Amino acid sequence: MNLTLKVWRQKNAEAKGKLVTYKAQAISPDMSFLEMLDVVNEDLIKKSEDPIHFDHDCREGICGSCSLHINGQPHGPKHAITTCQLHMRSFKDGETIVIEPWRASAFPVIKDLATDRGAFERIQQAGGFVSVNTGGVPDANDIPIPKVIADEAFNSATCIGCGACVAACKNASAMLFVSAKVSQLALLPQGQPERYRRVQAMVAQMDAEGFGNCTNTGACEAECPKEISLTNIARMNRDYLTAKIFKEEEV
Ligand code: SF4
Ligand code: FES
């Protein structure tokens, strides 16, 4: 396959960026999107030019690093996969592909396509953990958690913190991410002692980081590679209101 790429190049957070055109030639349809970028970068390095900076780590849909806006969609055109799981056979030979970083003021560009998503780490540090003593390791099947609840908690826990929900949202809201991290603990017995303190602390940090609010358009759910459900946001809002009305003293 031969492709034309329009890639966002930006030297640092302060510099003005622009789209630069590159040719990606002799690309195998079986290459992943990141492997295609590797090929382009090898050519740039051979020509002593600065390679395109982009984030990646696991390259198997686990770590959430690969954050690319491809033809206007976070993680590209395929549903429920990350950029690293996207293959070039999803594009047509001769196609022009526009590649940009996540667009959100809370995720400033570090260089080119790499953004600083430290805001997510700080939200997690504000409350996304269990710090009370939950006892020794229980025997298998010893905790009476109904399967349907355990499955729901597991589904929330599959959020990989990639930030596509923020990038997809017209308000750059982080509520899908935060609600998944709140829910994975709020659904389980171990998460109960700190449940209301946690939701208030994480929402306060989310607001402090400058993310927008949810206006229920559902773009986050539609673009999330892990299909995190909007019901997590409803649960987080319910817990937050309960905390504010009845549990203020627990903050
Ligand atoms: S909710 Fe989905 S899109 Fe948002 S950070 Fe988690 S996995 Fe990524
Ligand atoms: S590189 Fe880890 S999810 Fe894509």
Side-chain angles (χ1 to χ4, degrees), residues 34 55-67 75 82-85 160 162 226:
L34 299 186
D55 280 324
H56 61 96
D57 190 359
C58 70
R59 296 201 176 201
E60 51 184 333
I62 296 170
C63 73
S65 299
C66 57
S67 46
H75 295 303
T82 53
T83 299
C84 58
Q85 296 171 301
I160 54 174
C162 64
K226 299 298 168 185

Side-chain angles (χ1 to χ4, degrees), residues 83-102:
T83 299
C84 58
Q85 296 171 301
L86 178 66
H87 287 86
M88 296 317 295
R89 53 183 171 269
S90 303
F91 299 89
K92 292 191 197 78
D93 188 24
E95 193 170 337
T96 297
I97 305 173
V98 180
I99 312 168
E100 297 170 87
W102 284 170

Side-chain angles (χ1 to χ4, degrees), residues 75 120 158-166 176-177 180-181 220 223-228:
H75 295 303
F120 271 13
T158 59
C159 165
I160 54 174
C162 64
C165 45
V166 174
L176 195 65
F177 163 76
K181 298 301 175 193
C220 54
E223 297 292 353
C224 173
K226 299 298 168 185
E227 301 182 287
I228 300 294

Side-chain angles (χ1 to χ4, degrees), residues 18 53 57 102 109 117 121 132 140 142 170 183 217 249:
K18 62 174 185 197
H53 284 60
D57 190 359
W102 284 170
V109 170
R117 280 168 288 152
E121 301 300 328
V132 295
D142 218 23
K170 62 179 180 163
S183 291
T217 55
E249 70 283 358

Side-chain angles (χ1 to χ4, degrees), residues 114-167:
T115 52
D116 179 355
R117 280 168 288 152
F120 271 13
E121 301 300 328
R122 291 187 289 276
I123 292 169
Q124 273 291 82
Q125 286 161 12
F129 49 81
V130 170
S131 63
V132 295
N133 187 351
T134 56
V137 179
D139 289 339
N141 299 324
D142 218 23
I143 299 181
I145 304 171
K147 170 105 171 59
V148 64
I149 301 291
D151 286 351
E152 217 173 329
F154 182 80
N155 287 342
S156 300
T158 59
C159 165
I160 54 174
C162 64
C165 45
V166 174

Side-chain angles (χ1 to χ4, degrees), residues 4-233:
T4 301
L5 307 181
K6 290 185 182 292
V7 183
W8 188 260
R9 303 298 312 256
Q10 184 173 339
K11 275 197 166 46
N12 53 50
E14 289 74 40
K16 204 173 162 202
K18 62 174 185 197
L19 288 169
V20 177
T21 304
Y22 298 97
K23 293 286 177 201
Q25 280 166 331
I27 300 296
S28 162
D30 297 325
M31 279 181 183
S32 74
F33 199 84
L34 299 186
E35 285 168 340
M36 180 275 293
L37 285 178
D38 290 339
V39 169
V40 173
N41 272 348
E42 278 166 21
D43 285 348
L44 288 174
I45 290 165
K46 272 186 212 149
K47 291 189 275 183
S48 300
E49 289 181 32
D50 193 20
I52 300 159
H53 284 60
F54 59 94
D55 280 324
H56 61 96
D57 190 359
C58 70
R59 296 201 176 201
E60 51 184 333
I62 296 170
C63 73
S65 299
C66 57
S67 46
L68 298 183
H69 228 128
I70 302 164
N71 286 344
Q73 275 186 279
H75 295 303
K78 291 278 177 187
H79 179 64
I81 59 168
T82 53
T83 299
C84 58
Q85 296 171 301
L86 178 66
H87 287 86
M88 296 317 295
R89 53 183 171 269
S90 303
F91 299 89
K92 292 191 197 78
D93 188 24
E95 193 170 337
T96 297
I97 305 173
V98 180
I99 312 168
E100 297 170 87
W102 284 170
R103 302 289 190 191
S105 56
F107 290 158
V109 170
I110 297 170
K111 185 165 181 177
D112 299 336
L113 304 171
T115 52
D116 179 355
R117 280 168 288 152
F120 271 13
E121 301 300 328
R122 291 187 289 276
I123 292 169
Q124 273 291 82
Q125 286 161 12
F129 49 81
V130 170
S131 63
V132 295
N133 187 351
T134 56
V137 179
D139 289 339
N141 299 324
D142 218 23
I143 299 181
I145 304 171
K147 170 105 171 59
V148 64
I149 301 291
D151 286 351
E152 217 173 329
F154 182 80
N155 287 342
S156 300
T158 59
C159 165
I160 54 174
C162 64
C165 45
V166 174
C169 177
K170 62 179 180 163
N171 309 321
S173 168
M175 287 182 82
L176 195 65
F177 163 76
V178 180
S179 66
K181 298 301 175 193
V182 163
S183 291
Q184 69 182 16
L185 299 174
L187 285 161
L188 297 176
Q190 295 90 335
Q192 298 314 308
E194 295 161 301
R195 179 172 181 169
Y196 296 101
R197 189 207 65 78
R198 175 183 304 113
V199 69
Q200 291 179 88
M202 293 181 78
V203 168
Q205 189 63 37
M206 174 182 79
D207 289 343
E209 297 290 349
F211 292 104
N213 271 319
C214 174
T215 46
N216 292 313
T217 55
C220 54
E221 185 185 65
E223 297 292 353
C224 173
K226 299 298 168 185
E227 301 182 287
I228 300 294
S229 164
L230 283 177
T231 57
N232 287 287
I233 296 182

